[in-house]
Amino acid sequence: DGHEGEVVLVGGHMEEYLEVELNIVKANGLARADFGGRGKSDPFVEVYWNGECIHKTKVINDNLNPVWEDEKCIIPVHPDGTGGEMIMTVWDSDGPLTK
């Protein structure tokens, strides 16, 4: 019928969740992680929702200002915006980025 969603039974009450689409677009001014801070980085992003990794972007090689295309994930949230914690972490494919 064209409607999408999820209904969860919690403590005898019906609770509806909304699907929020998160689009990962770009990062700017990342730290140089390769060759002891003299080279560039090979960044990717991990998205965690309530402690679980729900998405990992592709690696963009040799770039301190990466742009990702078509990198998105769906996050279920309560209509009032509560119900979870999102953490996004940028990593170098050879190790963590630090700044």
Side-chain angles (χ1 to χ4, degrees):
D1 64 353
H3 298 317
E4 293 183 8
E6 179 180 3
V7 177
V8 178
L9 184 61
V10 179
H13 296 91
M14 296 299 281
E15 196 166 334
E16 183 178 333
Y17 286 84
L18 301 174
E19 289 185 344
V20 175
E21 182 177 277
L22 172 69
N23 290 284
I24 301 164
V25 179
K26 64 181 178 176
N28 294 309
L30 297 178
R32 295 176 184 273
D34 291 347
F35 305 111
R38 294 183 308 274
K40 294 190 178 180
S41 295
D42 308 309
F44 67 93
V45 177
E46 289 182 337
V47 179
Y48 291 84
W49 179 248
N50 293 328
E52 178 185 347
C53 184
I54 61 168
H55 186 76
K56 179 181 171 183
T57 68
K58 67 178 182 177
V59 173
I60 306 288
N61 290 315
D62 299 320
N63 201 316
L64 300 179
N65 300 294
V67 175
W68 288 275
E69 293 184 23
D70 199 33
E71 291 283 359
K72 56 188 163 189
C73 58
I74 303 295
I75 301 172
V77 297
H78 293 281
D80 65 1
T82 64
E85 176 184 57
M86 180 177 53
I87 297 173
M88 296 176 64
T89 306
V90 180
W91 296 95
D92 181 78
S93 65
D94 303 323
L97 286 172
T98 57
K99 186 170 184 179

